[in-house]
Amino acid sequence: MMRILNICLLVWGVVVFAATARADEAQFKADLDALTAAPHRLAGTPEGRAAGDYLIQRLTAMGVKQVLPLEFSLPQTRVDRCEMVIDGRVVPLMPVRPNLLANPVTPAQGVTGPMLYVGQGTLKDIDAALATHRAALGDAQTLEGMIVVIDYDSYDNWETAFSLGAAAVVFLGHGDATNPMPLHAGAPANLVRLYAHADADGTVGGLDLKQPRAKATVVSHVVWESTIGRNIIAVI
């Protein structure tokens, strides 16, 4: 009888554990969906504020009695305009992290030049891309003055593009792309580094950025502004 009772208790425990695990998994997914709904959660931005509000609500619902939001002032970037214009069509872009305090910005009219996709950005890739550009559009011996499109997961080869005279670098990525190397420098240099998010078909705004172009313009207007950030402390 005791053995049967132990078996019953074991089965009951497994059922309860499985049900709890399913509930925890569902809540985890709900939390994840809520906290990744926006492109980012940077401090001092509406997206960061919304994420903090959600955390406060969840902690309170979990029974935490002391949830303490502590606000502080901080500088944060504001993007007024960031895009590429090709043949009159506008492609949305995003600025990459500043080099210390130097945002990746262009003059008001933007930066204009030939556009070239260089894949992973190795010297071999660059030579092959220049050959393709010459065959399609004429003379192109170097990257001098060009808008260079490079794969997001190209390590630090974006530095090579700038060292060879690129006027701007546009990282072409998708949701699964990662890069183990930083895309910013430790010096306050205004290197125009922007990001283009490719759709499922590989295009950005309906345009294939892997095709060489005789002319493209990138515009990046990013400024610093004073904002209010927030730390959230829960006392358990």
Side-chain angles (χ1 to χ4, degrees):
M1 183 67 181
M2 183 61 68
R3 185 176 182 182
I4 295 174
L5 178 59
N6 287 340
I7 293 174
C8 290
L9 289 173
L10 177 61
V11 171
W12 175 81
V14 170
V15 171
V16 170
F17 175 80
T20 303
R22 284 195 297 272
D24 289 345
E25 182 179 349
Q27 184 59 65
F28 175 80
K29 186 178 185 306
D31 291 339
L32 190 63
D33 289 343
L35 293 173
T36 58
H40 62 80
R41 298 179 297 277
L42 292 174
T45 66
E47 293 85 356
R49 174 69 57 165
D53 289 344
Y54 182 82
L55 290 176
I56 292 173
Q57 176 265 316
R58 284 285 291 120
L59 289 167
T60 302
M62 292 167 62
V64 179
K65 301 299 183 184
Q66 297 186 66
V67 181
L68 310 174
L70 302 179
E71 295 188 341
F72 57 93
S73 60
L74 82 159
Q76 185 54 271
T77 56
R78 185 187 76 236
V79 181
D80 290 334
R81 184 182 177 191
C82 191
E83 62 193 24
M84 177 187 290
V85 181
I86 301 174
D87 296 332
R89 298 180 63 178
V90 177
V91 176
L93 302 175
M94 291 183 286
V96 177
R97 174 177 170 173
N99 288 332
L100 298 182
L101 292 177
N103 287 318
V105 297
T106 66
Q109 71 276 14
V111 172
T112 300
M115 189 185 78
L116 183 66
Y117 171 69
V118 297
Q120 287 284 301
T122 65
L123 291 177
K124 182 178 179 180
D125 290 337
I126 292 172
D127 285 342
L130 286 170
T132 299
H133 196 281
R134 287 193 295 270
L137 300 171
D139 186 47
Q141 301 299 324
T142 71
L143 298 184
E144 188 71 34
M146 282 194 170
I147 297 169
V148 173
V149 180
I150 190 170
D151 292 337
Y152 180 80
D153 54 356
S154 54
Y155 292 85
D156 56 358
N157 291 332
W158 61 274
E159 297 178 358
T160 302
F162 278 116
S163 71
L164 295 176
V169 167
V170 177
F171 295 99
L172 181 62
H174 50 82
D176 296 329
T178 59
N179 193 332
M181 303 295 290
L183 304 182
H184 61 277
N190 178 25
L191 302 175
V192 182
R193 294 151 296 117
L194 310 171
Y195 175 81
H197 184 77
D199 297 325
D201 62 357
T203 66
V204 181
L207 290 175
D208 185 1
L209 300 190
K210 294 184 178 182
Q211 295 299 315
R213 306 276 179 170
K215 179 181 177 181
T217 300
V218 292
V219 181
S220 180
H221 299 164
V222 188
V223 299
W224 289 101
E225 64 178 355
S226 179
T227 63
I228 300 298
R230 182 172 53 170
N231 287 324
I232 299 171
I233 298 176
V235 180
I236 299 176

mmCIF file of all heavy atoms in Angstrom, residues 144-195:
data_model
loop_
_atom_site.group_PDB
_atom_site.id
_atom_site.type_symbol
_atom_site.label_atom_id
_atom_site.label_comp_id
_atom_site.label_asym_id
_atom_site.label_seq_id
_atom_site.Cartn_x
_atom_site.Cartn_y
_atom_site.Cartn_z
ATOM 1 N N GLU A 144 37.942 54.900 -52.577
ATOM 2 C CA GLU A 144 37.970 56.319 -52.261
ATOM 3 C C GLU A 144 36.632 56.987 -52.594
ATOM 4 O O GLU A 144 36.164 56.966 -53.725
ATOM 5 C CB GLU A 144 39.089 57.013 -53.040
ATOM 6 C CG GLU A 144 39.328 58.453 -52.644
ATOM 7 C CD GLU A 144 39.963 58.589 -51.270
ATOM 8 O OE1 GLU A 144 40.767 57.720 -50.901
ATOM 9 O OE2 GLU A 144 39.636 59.569 -50.575
ATOM 10 N N GLY A 145 35.995 57.588 -51.563
ATOM 11 C CA GLY A 145 34.750 58.324 -51.753
ATOM 12 C C GLY A 145 33.518 57.464 -51.928
ATOM 13 O O GLY A 145 32.428 57.992 -52.186
ATOM 14 N N MET A 146 33.659 56.149 -51.773
ATOM 15 C CA MET A 146 32.516 55.258 -52.002
ATOM 16 C C MET A 146 31.685 55.051 -50.739
ATOM 17 O O MET A 146 32.178 55.193 -49.617
ATOM 18 C CB MET A 146 32.992 53.893 -52.491
ATOM 19 C CG MET A 146 33.381 53.847 -53.950
ATOM 20 S SD MET A 146 33.540 52.122 -54.507
ATOM 21 C CE MET A 146 33.701 52.369 -56.278
ATOM 22 N N ILE A 147 30.423 54.701 -50.946
ATOM 23 C CA ILE A 147 29.561 54.203 -49.874
ATOM 24 C C ILE A 147 29.658 52.685 -49.934
ATOM 25 O O ILE A 147 29.203 52.054 -50.892
ATOM 26 C CB ILE A 147 28.119 54.681 -50.059
ATOM 27 C CG1 ILE A 147 28.061 56.210 -49.971
ATOM 28 C CG2 ILE A 147 27.203 54.040 -49.017
ATOM 29 C CD1 ILE A 147 26.748 56.803 -50.384
ATOM 30 N N VAL A 148 30.276 52.102 -48.932
ATOM 31 C CA VAL A 148 30.579 50.674 -48.936
ATOM 32 C C VAL A 148 29.521 49.927 -48.129
ATOM 33 O O VAL A 148 29.282 50.240 -46.960
ATOM 34 C CB VAL A 148 31.979 50.417 -48.352
ATOM 35 C CG1 VAL A 148 32.220 48.917 -48.193
ATOM 36 C CG2 VAL A 148 33.039 51.035 -49.246
ATOM 37 N N VAL A 149 28.901 48.936 -48.751
ATOM 38 C CA VAL A 149 27.941 48.057 -48.079
ATOM 39 C C VAL A 149 28.686 46.773 -47.728
ATOM 40 O O VAL A 149 29.312 46.154 -48.600
ATOM 41 C CB VAL A 149 26.727 47.758 -48.976
ATOM 42 C CG1 VAL A 149 25.752 46.838 -48.257
ATOM 43 C CG2 VAL A 149 26.036 49.062 -49.384
ATOM 44 N N ILE A 150 28.636 46.380 -46.467
ATOM 45 C CA ILE A 150 29.387 45.232 -45.982
ATOM 46 C C ILE A 150 28.491 44.373 -45.098
ATOM 47 O O ILE A 150 27.572 44.887 -44.449
ATOM 48 C CB ILE A 150 30.636 45.715 -45.210
ATOM 49 C CG1 ILE A 150 31.593 44.570 -44.881
ATOM 50 C CG2 ILE A 150 30.242 46.463 -43.949
ATOM 51 C CD1 ILE A 150 32.940 45.044 -44.326
ATOM 52 N N ASP A 151 28.718 43.072 -45.087
ATOM 53 C CA ASP A 151 27.930 42.178 -44.232
ATOM 54 C C ASP A 151 28.099 42.577 -42.766
ATOM 55 O O ASP A 151 29.203 42.927 -42.328
ATOM 56 C CB ASP A 151 28.371 40.730 -44.416
ATOM 57 C CG ASP A 151 28.031 40.183 -45.790
ATOM 58 O OD1 ASP A 151 27.111 40.717 -46.434
ATOM 59 O OD2 ASP A 151 28.699 39.217 -46.219
ATOM 60 N N TYR A 152 27.010 42.484 -42.024
ATOM 61 C CA TYR A 152 27.062 42.844 -40.603
ATOM 62 C C TYR A 152 28.054 41.975 -39.841
ATOM 63 O O TYR A 152 28.784 42.475 -38.971
ATOM 64 C CB TYR A 152 25.665 42.707 -39.988
ATOM 65 C CG TYR A 152 25.612 43.056 -38.522
ATOM 66 C CD1 TYR A 152 25.569 44.379 -38.121
ATOM 67 C CD2 TYR A 152 25.610 42.058 -37.548
ATOM 68 C CE1 TYR A 152 25.536 44.714 -36.767
ATOM 69 C CE2 TYR A 152 25.574 42.376 -36.203
ATOM 70 C CZ TYR A 152 25.533 43.702 -35.825
ATOM 71 O OH TYR A 152 25.514 44.019 -34.483
ATOM 72 N N ASP A 153 28.111 40.686 -40.155
ATOM 73 C CA ASP A 153 28.979 39.763 -39.431
ATOM 74 C C ASP A 153 30.362 39.653 -40.074
ATOM 75 O O ASP A 153 30.895 38.562 -40.258
ATOM 76 C CB ASP A 153 28.321 38.380 -39.321
ATOM 77 C CG ASP A 153 27.912 37.828 -40.677
ATOM 78 O OD1 ASP A 153 28.057 38.538 -41.691
ATOM 79 O OD2 ASP A 153 27.455 36.674 -40.730
ATOM 80 N N SER A 154 30.956 40.793 -40.402
ATOM 81 C CA SER A 154 32.231 40.842 -41.128
ATOM 82 C C SER A 154 33.403 41.187 -40.215
ATOM 83 O O SER A 154 34.407 41.740 -40.678
ATOM 84 C CB SER A 154 32.145 41.853 -42.268
ATOM 85 O OG SER A 154 31.721 43.122 -41.776
ATOM 86 N N TYR A 155 33.263 40.866 -38.933
ATOM 87 C CA TYR A 155 34.321 41.128 -37.953
ATOM 88 C C TYR A 155 34.689 42.618 -37.980
ATOM 89 O O TYR A 155 33.807 43.470 -37.966
ATOM 90 C CB TYR A 155 35.517 40.206 -38.191
ATOM 91 C CG TYR A 155 35.181 38.761 -37.895
ATOM 92 C CD1 TYR A 155 34.577 37.955 -38.863
ATOM 93 C CD2 TYR A 155 35.417 38.221 -36.645
ATOM 94 C CE1 TYR A 155 34.236 36.642 -38.588
ATOM 95 C CE2 TYR A 155 35.084 36.893 -36.353
ATOM 96 C CZ TYR A 155 34.484 36.124 -37.334
ATOM 97 O OH TYR A 155 34.130 34.836 -37.052
ATOM 98 N N ASP A 156 35.982 42.948 -38.042
ATOM 99 C CA ASP A 156 36.365 44.362 -38.026
ATOM 100 C C ASP A 156 36.840 44.838 -39.398
ATOM 101 O O ASP A 156 37.594 45.812 -39.510
ATOM 102 C CB ASP A 156 37.468 44.610 -36.986
ATOM 103 C CG ASP A 156 38.694 43.737 -37.187
ATOM 104 O OD1 ASP A 156 38.685 42.906 -38.117
ATOM 105 O OD2 ASP A 156 39.660 43.882 -36.416
ATOM 106 N N ASN A 157 36.382 44.174 -40.456
ATOM 107 C CA ASN A 157 36.816 44.552 -41.805
ATOM 108 C C ASN A 157 36.258 45.906 -42.243
ATOM 109 O O ASN A 157 36.729 46.459 -43.251
ATOM 110 C CB ASN A 157 36.424 43.468 -42.806
ATOM 111 C CG ASN A 157 37.221 42.194 -42.599
ATOM 112 O OD1 ASN A 157 38.349 42.238 -42.109
ATOM 113 N ND2 ASN A 157 36.649 41.057 -42.950
ATOM 114 N N TRP A 158 35.272 46.433 -41.509
ATOM 115 C CA TRP A 158 34.795 47.787 -41.814
ATOM 116 C C TRP A 158 35.926 48.800 -41.658
ATOM 117 O O TRP A 158 35.946 49.831 -42.364
ATOM 118 C CB TRP A 158 33.616 48.155 -40.910
ATOM 119 C CG TRP A 158 33.927 48.168 -39.443
ATOM 120 C CD1 TRP A 158 33.890 47.108 -38.585
ATOM 121 C CD2 TRP A 158 34.336 49.297 -38.663
ATOM 122 N NE1 TRP A 158 34.231 47.505 -37.316
ATOM 123 C CE2 TRP A 158 34.514 48.844 -37.324
ATOM 124 C CE3 TRP A 158 34.551 50.634 -38.950
ATOM 125 C CZ2 TRP A 158 34.914 49.678 -36.292
ATOM 126 C CZ3 TRP A 158 34.952 51.486 -37.922
ATOM 127 C CH2 TRP A 158 35.137 51.002 -36.620
ATOM 128 N N GLU A 159 36.870 48.526 -40.766
ATOM 129 C CA GLU A 159 38.005 49.424 -40.588
ATOM 130 C C GLU A 159 38.867 49.461 -41.848
ATOM 131 O O GLU A 159 39.411 50.507 -42.212
ATOM 132 C CB GLU A 159 38.824 48.994 -39.379
ATOM 133 C CG GLU A 159 38.061 49.075 -38.056
ATOM 134 C CD GLU A 159 38.893 48.597 -36.878
ATOM 135 O OE1 GLU A 159 40.045 48.169 -37.096
ATOM 136 O OE2 GLU A 159 38.392 48.659 -35.740
ATOM 137 N N THR A 160 38.987 48.304 -42.515
ATOM 138 C CA THR A 160 39.736 48.261 -43.766
ATOM 139 C C THR A 160 39.092 49.151 -44.809
ATOM 140 O O THR A 160 39.784 49.872 -45.553
ATOM 141 C CB THR A 160 39.806 46.808 -44.290
ATOM 142 O OG1 THR A 160 40.414 45.973 -43.303
ATOM 143 C CG2 THR A 160 40.591 46.729 -45.581
ATOM 144 N N ALA A 161 37.756 49.116 -44.879
ATOM 145 C CA ALA A 161 37.049 49.952 -45.857
ATOM 146 C C ALA A 161 37.354 51.433 -45.637
ATOM 147 O O ALA A 161 37.640 52.177 -46.592
ATOM 148 C CB ALA A 161 35.547 49.694 -45.766
ATOM 149 N N PHE A 162 37.331 51.871 -44.385
ATOM 150 C CA PHE A 162 37.638 53.269 -44.112
ATOM 151 C C PHE A 162 39.101 53.587 -44.402
ATOM 152 O O PHE A 162 39.431 54.667 -44.904
ATOM 153 C CB PHE A 162 37.298 53.615 -42.661
ATOM 154 C CG PHE A 162 35.846 53.913 -42.434
ATOM 155 C CD1 PHE A 162 35.077 53.108 -41.607
ATOM 156 C CD2 PHE A 162 35.233 54.996 -43.039
ATOM 157 C CE1 PHE A 162 33.735 53.379 -41.391
ATOM 158 C CE2 PHE A 162 33.893 55.276 -42.844
ATOM 159 C CZ PHE A 162 33.139 54.468 -42.014
ATOM 160 N N SER A 163 39.994 52.645 -44.086
ATOM 161 C CA SER A 163 41.416 52.888 -44.347
ATOM 162 C C SER A 163 41.706 53.011 -45.833
ATOM 163 O O SER A 163 42.698 53.634 -46.235
ATOM 164 C CB SER A 163 42.267 51.772 -43.732
ATOM 165 O OG SER A 163 42.113 50.551 -44.445
ATOM 166 N N LEU A 164 40.837 52.432 -46.671
ATOM 167 C CA LEU A 164 41.000 52.519 -48.122
ATOM 168 C C LEU A 164 40.205 53.665 -48.730
ATOM 169 O O LEU A 164 40.084 53.759 -49.952
ATOM 170 C CB LEU A 164 40.585 51.197 -48.768
ATOM 171 C CG LEU A 164 41.467 49.988 -48.417
ATOM 172 C CD1 LEU A 164 40.902 48.714 -49.025
ATOM 173 C CD2 LEU A 164 42.899 50.214 -48.884
ATOM 174 N N GLY A 165 39.649 54.530 -47.867
ATOM 175 C CA GLY A 165 39.037 55.763 -48.371
ATOM 176 C C GLY A 165 37.535 55.800 -48.439
ATOM 177 O O GLY A 165 36.969 56.755 -48.993
ATOM 178 N N ALA A 166 36.839 54.792 -47.899
ATOM 179 C CA ALA A 166 35.370 54.802 -47.943
ATOM 180 C C ALA A 166 34.820 56.046 -47.259
ATOM 181 O O ALA A 166 35.321 56.471 -46.205
ATOM 182 C CB ALA A 166 34.809 53.553 -47.284
ATOM 183 N N ALA A 167 33.789 56.649 -47.853
ATOM 184 C CA ALA A 167 33.149 57.824 -47.260
ATOM 185 C C ALA A 167 32.164 57.423 -46.183
ATOM 186 O O ALA A 167 31.922 58.181 -45.239
ATOM 187 C CB ALA A 167 32.447 58.636 -48.344
ATOM 188 N N ALA A 168 31.580 56.244 -46.309
ATOM 189 C CA ALA A 168 30.615 55.737 -45.330
ATOM 190 C C ALA A 168 30.549 54.228 -45.468
ATOM 191 O O ALA A 168 30.833 53.672 -46.538
ATOM 192 C CB ALA A 168 29.233 56.363 -45.546
ATOM 193 N N VAL A 169 30.185 53.565 -44.375
ATOM 194 C CA VAL A 169 30.011 52.116 -44.380
ATOM 195 C C VAL A 169 28.600 51.799 -43.917
ATOM 196 O O VAL A 169 28.146 52.315 -42.886
ATOM 197 C CB VAL A 169 31.037 51.422 -43.464
ATOM 198 C CG1 VAL A 169 30.654 49.958 -43.236
ATOM 199 C CG2 VAL A 169 32.433 51.502 -44.069
ATOM 200 N N VAL A 170 27.911 50.973 -44.680
ATOM 201 C CA VAL A 170 26.559 50.535 -44.336
ATOM 202 C C VAL A 170 26.613 49.037 -44.067
ATOM 203 O O VAL A 170 26.953 48.252 -44.957
ATOM 204 C CB VAL A 170 25.556 50.837 -45.464
ATOM 205 C CG1 VAL A 170 24.177 50.296 -45.103
ATOM 206 C CG2 VAL A 170 25.492 52.336 -45.729
ATOM 207 N N PHE A 171 26.301 48.639 -42.841
ATOM 208 C CA PHE A 171 26.271 47.224 -42.483
ATOM 209 C C PHE A 171 24.939 46.634 -42.918
ATOM 210 O O PHE A 171 23.877 47.136 -42.539
ATOM 211 C CB PHE A 171 26.448 47.050 -40.975
ATOM 212 C CG PHE A 171 27.793 47.506 -40.478
ATOM 213 C CD1 PHE A 171 27.949 48.757 -39.904
ATOM 214 C CD2 PHE A 171 28.909 46.687 -40.589
ATOM 215 C CE1 PHE A 171 29.184 49.188 -39.452
ATOM 216 C CE2 PHE A 171 30.144 47.102 -40.138
ATOM 217 C CZ PHE A 171 30.297 48.359 -39.570
ATOM 218 N N LEU A 172 25.006 45.567 -43.691
ATOM 219 C CA LEU A 172 23.802 44.898 -44.177
ATOM 220 C C LEU A 172 23.572 43.665 -43.316
ATOM 221 O O LEU A 172 24.394 42.744 -43.290
ATOM 222 C CB LEU A 172 23.965 44.509 -45.646
ATOM 223 C CG LEU A 172 22.774 43.826 -46.311
ATOM 224 C CD1 LEU A 172 21.551 44.735 -46.321
ATOM 225 C CD2 LEU A 172 23.136 43.410 -47.739
ATOM 226 N N GLY A 173 22.465 43.639 -42.596
ATOM 227 C CA GLY A 173 22.209 42.542 -41.675
ATOM 228 C C GLY A 173 20.790 42.053 -41.731
ATOM 229 O O GLY A 173 19.946 42.571 -42.458
ATOM 230 N N HIS A 174 20.540 41.026 -40.944
ATOM 231 C CA HIS A 174 19.195 40.498 -40.762
ATOM 232 C C HIS A 174 19.074 40.110 -39.297
ATOM 233 O O HIS A 174 20.035 40.246 -38.524
ATOM 234 C CB HIS A 174 18.938 39.299 -41.686
ATOM 235 C CG HIS A 174 20.006 38.257 -41.642
ATOM 236 N ND1 HIS A 174 20.063 37.280 -40.662
ATOM 237 C CD2 HIS A 174 21.087 38.042 -42.425
ATOM 238 C CE1 HIS A 174 21.106 36.514 -40.860
ATOM 239 N NE2 HIS A 174 21.755 36.953 -41.924
ATOM 240 N N GLY A 175 17.947 39.634 -38.886
ATOM 241 C CA GLY A 175 17.695 39.414 -37.469
ATOM 242 C C GLY A 175 18.613 38.416 -36.797
ATOM 243 O O GLY A 175 18.841 38.493 -35.591
ATOM 244 N N ASP A 176 19.191 37.480 -37.564
ATOM 245 C CA ASP A 176 20.016 36.433 -36.967
ATOM 246 C C ASP A 176 21.508 36.736 -37.036
ATOM 247 O O ASP A 176 22.318 35.969 -36.517
ATOM 248 C CB ASP A 176 19.749 35.092 -37.656
ATOM 249 C CG ASP A 176 18.320 34.625 -37.457
ATOM 250 O OD1 ASP A 176 17.737 34.949 -36.404
ATOM 251 O OD2 ASP A 176 17.772 33.961 -38.359
ATOM 252 N N ALA A 177 21.900 37.826 -37.690
ATOM 253 C CA ALA A 177 23.323 38.117 -37.865
ATOM 254 C C ALA A 177 23.931 38.646 -36.572
ATOM 255 O O ALA A 177 23.327 39.461 -35.872
ATOM 256 C CB ALA A 177 23.516 39.143 -38.982
ATOM 257 N N THR A 178 25.124 38.165 -36.251
ATOM 258 C CA THR A 178 25.858 38.653 -35.089
ATOM 259 C C THR A 178 27.298 38.956 -35.498
ATOM 260 O O THR A 178 27.798 38.443 -36.490
ATOM 261 C CB THR A 178 25.869 37.626 -33.948
ATOM 262 O OG1 THR A 178 26.476 36.413 -34.418
ATOM 263 C CG2 THR A 178 24.463 37.315 -33.468
ATOM 264 N N ASN A 179 27.949 39.782 -34.720
ATOM 265 C CA ASN A 179 29.338 40.116 -34.982
ATOM 266 C C ASN A 179 30.091 40.103 -33.668
ATOM 267 O O ASN A 179 29.732 40.846 -32.747
ATOM 268 C CB ASN A 179 29.453 41.491 -35.647
ATOM 269 C CG ASN A 179 30.853 41.735 -36.215
ATOM 270 O OD1 ASN A 179 31.841 41.201 -35.727
ATOM 271 N ND2 ASN A 179 30.933 42.548 -37.251
ATOM 272 N N PRO A 180 31.130 39.268 -33.534
ATOM 273 C CA PRO A 180 31.862 39.208 -32.267
ATOM 274 C C PRO A 180 32.761 40.412 -32.028
ATOM 275 O O PRO A 180 33.264 40.596 -30.925
ATOM 276 C CB PRO A 180 32.696 37.921 -32.417
ATOM 277 C CG PRO A 180 32.907 37.792 -33.888
ATOM 278 C CD PRO A 180 31.651 38.296 -34.521
ATOM 279 N N MET A 181 32.956 41.237 -33.052
ATOM 280 C CA MET A 181 33.826 42.401 -32.934
ATOM 281 C C MET A 181 32.992 43.676 -32.816
ATOM 282 O O MET A 181 31.893 43.768 -33.366
ATOM 283 C CB MET A 181 34.738 42.505 -34.158
ATOM 284 C CG MET A 181 35.589 41.271 -34.389
ATOM 285 S SD MET A 181 36.779 40.994 -33.061
ATOM 286 C CE MET A 181 37.900 42.361 -33.355
ATOM 287 N N PRO A 182 33.500 44.688 -32.097
ATOM 288 C CA PRO A 182 32.751 45.943 -31.984
ATOM 289 C C PRO A 182 32.707 46.687 -33.306
ATOM 290 O O PRO A 182 33.636 46.590 -34.121
ATOM 291 C CB PRO A 182 33.543 46.723 -30.927
ATOM 292 C CG PRO A 182 34.925 46.165 -30.996
ATOM 293 C CD PRO A 182 34.759 44.708 -31.328
ATOM 294 N N LEU A 183 31.620 47.416 -33.517
ATOM 295 C CA LEU A 183 31.463 48.213 -34.736
ATOM 296 C C LEU A 183 31.722 49.684 -34.455
ATOM 297 O O LEU A 183 31.284 50.552 -35.206
ATOM 298 C CB LEU A 183 30.056 48.015 -35.310
ATOM 299 C CG LEU A 183 29.662 46.569 -35.617
ATOM 300 C CD1 LEU A 183 28.272 46.519 -36.223
ATOM 301 C CD2 LEU A 183 30.682 45.907 -36.543
ATOM 302 N N HIS A 184 32.438 49.954 -33.380
ATOM 303 C CA HIS A 184 32.809 51.322 -33.031
ATOM 304 C C HIS A 184 34.284 51.346 -32.657
ATOM 305 O O HIS A 184 34.896 50.316 -32.396
ATOM 306 C CB HIS A 184 31.953 51.841 -31.872
ATOM 307 C CG HIS A 184 32.118 51.036 -30.619
ATOM 308 N ND1 HIS A 184 31.421 49.854 -30.398
ATOM 309 C CD2 HIS A 184 32.912 51.206 -29.532
ATOM 310 C CE1 HIS A 184 31.766 49.349 -29.227
ATOM 311 N NE2 HIS A 184 32.675 50.152 -28.679
ATOM 312 N N ALA A 185 34.849 52.554 -32.646
ATOM 313 C CA ALA A 185 36.262 52.722 -32.327
ATOM 314 C C ALA A 185 36.414 53.429 -30.986
ATOM 315 O O ALA A 185 35.501 54.107 -30.516
ATOM 316 C CB ALA A 185 36.959 53.528 -33.429
ATOM 317 N N GLY A 186 37.595 53.287 -30.382
ATOM 318 C CA GLY A 186 37.858 53.907 -29.090
ATOM 319 C C GLY A 186 38.431 55.297 -29.204
ATOM 320 O O GLY A 186 39.091 55.789 -28.281
ATOM 321 N N ALA A 187 38.192 55.941 -30.324
ATOM 322 C CA ALA A 187 38.640 57.321 -30.530
ATOM 323 C C ALA A 187 37.458 58.125 -31.055
ATOM 324 O O ALA A 187 36.624 57.601 -31.793
ATOM 325 C CB ALA A 187 39.798 57.363 -31.521
ATOM 326 N N PRO A 188 37.368 59.419 -30.695
ATOM 327 C CA PRO A 188 36.207 60.231 -31.089
ATOM 328 C C PRO A 188 36.269 60.665 -32.551
ATOM 329 O O PRO A 188 36.338 61.850 -32.870
ATOM 330 C CB PRO A 188 36.284 61.426 -30.142
ATOM 331 C CG PRO A 188 37.737 61.563 -29.839
ATOM 332 C CD PRO A 188 38.303 60.172 -29.826
ATOM 333 N N ALA A 189 36.241 59.693 -33.455
ATOM 334 C CA ALA A 189 36.305 59.974 -34.889
ATOM 335 C C ALA A 189 34.931 59.811 -35.512
ATOM 336 O O ALA A 189 34.229 58.839 -35.236
ATOM 337 C CB ALA A 189 37.302 59.022 -35.556
ATOM 338 N N ASN A 190 34.559 60.759 -36.357
ATOM 339 C CA ASN A 190 33.264 60.681 -37.025
ATOM 340 C C ASN A 190 33.387 59.787 -38.250
ATOM 341 O O ASN A 190 33.581 60.250 -39.370
ATOM 342 C CB ASN A 190 32.758 62.066 -37.425
ATOM 343 C CG ASN A 190 31.425 61.988 -38.168
ATOM 344 O OD1 ASN A 190 30.671 61.043 -38.012
ATOM 345 N ND2 ASN A 190 31.153 62.981 -38.998
ATOM 346 N N LEU A 191 33.281 58.487 -38.020
ATOM 347 C CA LEU A 191 33.237 57.513 -39.106
ATOM 348 C C LEU A 191 31.779 57.149 -39.323
ATOM 349 O O LEU A 191 31.127 56.623 -38.424
ATOM 350 C CB LEU A 191 34.051 56.271 -38.743
ATOM 351 C CG LEU A 191 35.536 56.522 -38.413
ATOM 352 C CD1 LEU A 191 36.193 55.224 -37.958
ATOM 353 C CD2 LEU A 191 36.265 57.111 -39.605
ATOM 354 N N VAL A 192 31.266 57.453 -40.496
ATOM 355 C CA VAL A 192 29.835 57.278 -40.769
ATOM 356 C C VAL A 192 29.539 55.794 -40.940
ATOM 357 O O VAL A 192 29.807 55.194 -41.980
ATOM 358 C CB VAL A 192 29.415 58.066 -42.022
ATOM 359 C CG1 VAL A 192 27.907 57.898 -42.257
ATOM 360 C CG2 VAL A 192 29.762 59.537 -41.851
ATOM 361 N N ARG A 193 29.000 55.193 -39.872
ATOM 362 C CA ARG A 193 28.661 53.772 -39.855
ATOM 363 C C ARG A 193 27.163 53.636 -39.630
ATOM 364 O O ARG A 193 26.637 54.087 -38.616
ATOM 365 C CB ARG A 193 29.430 53.056 -38.733
ATOM 366 C CG ARG A 193 30.943 53.016 -38.914
ATOM 367 C CD ARG A 193 31.672 52.983 -37.595
ATOM 368 N NE ARG A 193 31.431 54.208 -36.857
ATOM 369 C CZ ARG A 193 30.808 54.266 -35.678
ATOM 370 N NH1 ARG A 193 30.374 53.165 -35.094
ATOM 371 N NH2 ARG A 193 30.620 55.425 -35.083
ATOM 372 N N LEU A 194 26.481 53.008 -40.572
ATOM 373 C CA LEU A 194 25.033 52.899 -40.526
ATOM 374 C C LEU A 194 24.635 51.434 -40.724
ATOM 375 O O LEU A 194 25.432 50.618 -41.171
ATOM 376 C CB LEU A 194 24.403 53.776 -41.613
ATOM 377 C CG LEU A 194 24.918 55.224 -41.645
ATOM 378 C CD1 LEU A 194 24.407 55.957 -42.868
ATOM 379 C CD2 LEU A 194 24.540 55.969 -40.378
ATOM 380 N N TYR A 195 23.400 51.137 -40.377
ATOM 381 C CA TYR A 195 22.914 49.752 -40.456
ATOM 382 C C TYR A 195 21.655 49.693 -41.305
ATOM 383 O O TYR A 195 20.738 50.506 -41.154
ATOM 384 C CB TYR A 195 22.616 49.214 -39.056
ATOM 385 C CG TYR A 195 22.002 47.826 -39.045
ATOM 386 C CD1 TYR A 195 22.794 46.692 -39.186
ATOM 387 C CD2 TYR A 195 20.624 47.648 -38.908
ATOM 388 C CE1 TYR A 195 22.245 45.421 -39.180
ATOM 389 C CE2 TYR A 195 20.060 46.380 -38.907
ATOM 390 C CZ TYR A 195 20.871 45.272 -39.040
ATOM 391 O OH TYR A 195 20.321 44.022 -39.059
#
